[in-house]
Amino acid sequence: QAHRKGISSTSSRCSFFKFMTDDLVHSLFHFLWPETCPVCGRIGISCCDGCMRSVVSPLPSFCAKCGAPYGLVCCSNSVPCHALSLHEGISRELLLNLKYRNSRSLGIPMGRLMGETFIDKDADILIPVPLHRSGRREYNQSLLLAEGISQVWNIPADDKKLFWKNDILPQAGKTSSSRQMMPADAMGSESLAGRSVVLVDDIYTTGNTLRAAISAVEKAAGKVCSVLVWSRRVSSQDNEASWVKQ
């Protein structure tokens, strides 16, 4: 019995020291990389895997060009768009952190989650929507999402194919009506002859950017199989510039 008590005592001490060690490691991570999971508050991590997976609530496929349910007669020449969730709650918070708060470590895990949720067997290349030429962001969040999807689908992600032809101002900060003023030929593309493309973007609002991207791919002799976005924002007149301040 004394022997068993000794084992039990040793086991308890080991568990205590493991707990303390784990806690110190997380504290050190937080000191070196001051990130906190926006859901559970765990320090030293941009978002826990379980917390990130809690946002998965795929929307029914919708038309990438007009936003209506995919399959209607008016969308016969369009492509399906798949969104992991609505732009609200935790999903919105994660995207804001990735896009505006420099939490770039979120990008690839978010993309992997998109790749695990959706599949397009016809695709042979992932193309992220490019950053606006006049934008000031240090990295392209859509490329990070595409790289995460690439790891799951095992097809390349290429951010050199699509490009903005003009200095179009970023869409964030514009109302719905002003977004619609983007020229249809605002984007260009390198040759995509014979390529089956999946376009990747962070959010679907009016579809204006994606219409320009689809047009550019088609003019470059490519075929857009589908579009993947992290979230879909319900159309409104709200100004996205207010997102960061909320």
Side-chain angles (χ1 to χ4, degrees):
Q1 291 181 349
H3 176 66
R4 285 197 296 270
K5 288 181 179 179
I7 294 175
S8 176
S9 176
T10 301
S11 176
S12 298
R13 287 197 297 270
C14 289
S15 298
F16 173 76
F17 285 127
K18 183 179 185 301
F19 172 79
M20 291 297 294
T21 301
D22 289 346
D23 192 52
L24 287 172
V25 168
H26 289 316
S27 297
L28 178 62
F29 282 168
H30 185 60
F31 177 76
L32 297 175
W33 302 282
E35 293 182 310
T36 303
C37 176
V39 184
C40 69
R42 182 181 178 186
I43 61 176
I45 189 170
S46 53
C47 186
C48 303
D49 181 71
C51 293
M52 185 177 291
R53 291 181 182 278
S54 70
V55 312
V56 177
S57 183
L59 306 184
S61 300
F62 54 94
C63 172
K65 292 185 178 180
C66 73
Y70 183 72
L72 299 181
V73 176
C74 62
C75 302
S76 59
N77 294 321
S78 186
V79 293
C81 187
H82 308 290
L84 193 74
S85 67
L86 284 173
H87 186 66
E88 61 185 20
I90 299 172
S91 175
R92 175 181 180 274
E93 188 69 17
L94 290 176
L95 185 56
L96 293 184
N97 285 351
L98 170 64
K99 195 169 181 177
Y100 296 116
R101 298 167 187 155
N102 204 36
S103 295
R104 62 190 306 169
S105 61
L106 283 170
I108 289 179
M110 288 168 66
R112 287 186 59 85
L113 191 55
M114 293 167 69
E116 293 170 6
T117 305
F118 305 109
I119 184 64
D120 192 321
K121 296 180 180 180
D122 296 327
D124 58 42
I125 186 171
L126 296 155
I127 299 182
V129 170
L131 284 179
H132 294 270
R133 290 166 59 179
S134 58
R136 298 179 180 178
R137 198 167 298 123
E138 295 181 359
Y139 56 89
N140 183 353
Q141 70 280 354
S142 296
L143 172 60
L144 295 176
L145 295 175
E147 289 176 341
I149 299 168
S150 173
Q151 292 181 5
V152 178
W153 289 10
N154 198 30
I155 62 174
D158 192 334
D159 67 333
K160 301 297 190 292
K161 297 296 185 183
L162 272 182
F163 53 86
W164 291 97
K165 294 167 65 176
N166 303 304
D167 289 326
I168 304 295
L169 292 175
Q171 297 295 280
K174 292 184 178 181
T175 61
S176 178
S177 58
S178 61
R179 287 169 184 266
Q180 301 293 343
M181 297 173 63
M182 180 188 296
D185 62 347
M187 286 190 200
S189 175
E190 295 182 359
S191 175
L192 290 167
R195 306 303 298 270
S196 297
V197 176
V198 168
L199 293 172
V200 180
D201 205 1
D202 55 353
I203 186 170
Y204 184 99
T205 305
T206 64
N208 207 21
T209 298
L210 287 172
R211 284 191 292 272
I214 292 170
S215 175
V217 170
E218 292 175 344
K219 289 179 179 177
K223 176 186 177 183
V224 179
C225 301
S226 60
V227 177
L228 264 59
V229 297
W230 173 257
S231 60
R232 180 175 186 179
R233 185 176 184 226
V234 177
S235 297
S236 71
Q237 297 297 318
D238 293 339
N239 190 321
E240 286 173 333
S242 66
W243 289 0
V244 190
K245 301 174 184 178
Q246 293 180 358

